[in-house]
Amino acid sequence: MEHALQHLRRVDPALAPWIEQIGPFALQLQPHGFATLAYAIISQQISLAAARAIRDRLVVALDDLTPTAILASEDDTLRATGLSAQKSAYLRDLAARIASGQLELERFPTLDDETIITQLTAVKGIGRWTAEIYLMFALGRLDVLPAADLGLRDAARLVHGLPRLPSPRELLALGACWRPYRSVACWYLWQARRLIRQS
């Protein structure tokens, strides 16, 4: 990781002081598996507090958050936890793909990033952003840049003094120099934005 930080300081002078201020890289990984992907679907377009509440009610209602439990559950049971009909359908699609062996999560650690993204985005309700966030926060991949992330684009604007929010394409261009540690740069940008917003 020290090599990664040396690289980022060298290639991005605007990010370098933030790396010094924020300190050691401390991205908190989530467990790799169905439950984390299910939570990613649940949390789309709602607050984190609401997403956690729905997830917790699901765990209580189903005894466990597994593909088997989701597939065996009644629609009314899922709806009672606060899940929309659409998100229930997304969870069932994810569960069915895993149960049938169409989606083999246990193979993900051996696959390259783009292959994983292709497989995950075939699931209803999982777009590229969700797949990229999963790569970063569940699989610990170090060279991912979720360029559609609004918070990340705003962080790049603030840290680099840009006159406006960069487009996803512009962010990809800006972050090309961060390779092969784009995930690390993203984490520092998110932390820097939080500190700037608090000041």
Side-chain angles (χ1 to χ4, degrees):
M1 186 50 61
E2 187 52 42
H3 181 269
L5 299 186
Q6 288 175 2
H7 170 77
L8 292 174
R9 290 188 200 102
R10 184 176 70 252
V11 300
D12 192 342
L15 187 59
W18 289 104
I19 292 173
E20 297 307 314
Q21 181 177 341
I22 292 162
F25 179 69
L27 187 147
Q28 298 295 310
L29 288 181
Q30 302 301 310
H32 164 50
F34 174 78
T36 296
L37 279 171
Y39 182 63
I41 290 173
I42 293 166
S43 62
Q44 290 171 0
Q45 298 178 326
I46 61 175
S47 71
L48 287 178
R52 289 192 193 102
I54 291 171
R55 178 193 59 194
D56 292 346
R57 287 194 292 266
L58 262 178
V59 171
V60 170
L62 305 180
D63 291 328
D64 201 2
L65 193 49
T66 64
T68 302
I70 289 290
L71 293 173
S73 62
E74 300 289 337
D75 287 341
D76 288 347
T77 302
L78 297 182
R79 199 158 35 245
T81 67
L83 271 179
S84 67
Q86 186 178 52
K87 286 186 180 179
S88 295
Y90 292 165
L91 288 183
R92 289 192 191 280
D93 185 56
L94 173 63
R97 287 171 185 269
I98 292 171
S100 69
Q102 190 176 355
L103 186 64
E104 298 177 282
L105 296 184
E106 65 275 8
R107 291 189 62 227
F108 276 17
T110 69
L111 301 177
D112 66 83
D113 294 351
E114 284 302 322
T115 299
I116 294 171
I117 289 170
T118 298
Q119 292 190 13
L120 285 178
T121 53
V123 179
K124 292 176 183 175
I126 295 183
R128 186 176 180 91
W129 178 85
T130 300
E132 289 171 334
I133 293 296
Y134 189 81
L135 283 171
M136 291 175 69
F137 287 91
L139 293 172
R141 298 294 173 93
L142 292 179
D143 193 31
V144 181
L145 176 48
D149 189 274
L150 190 59
L152 189 57
R153 291 163 59 202
D154 187 48
R157 179 186 67 83
L158 293 168
V159 168
H160 290 87
L162 304 177
R164 59 173 176 77
L165 205 65
S167 68
R169 181 175 293 183
E170 289 169 337
L171 183 57
L172 284 171
L174 177 69
C177 66
W178 302 331
R179 285 182 179 274
Y181 303 112
R182 293 182 298 171
S183 300
V184 181
C186 290
W187 184 83
Y188 278 100
L189 283 169
W190 278 317
Q191 302 309 308
R193 178 177 184 259
R194 178 178 55 82
L195 292 175
I196 292 168
R197 293 295 186 192
Q198 288 174 351
S199 63

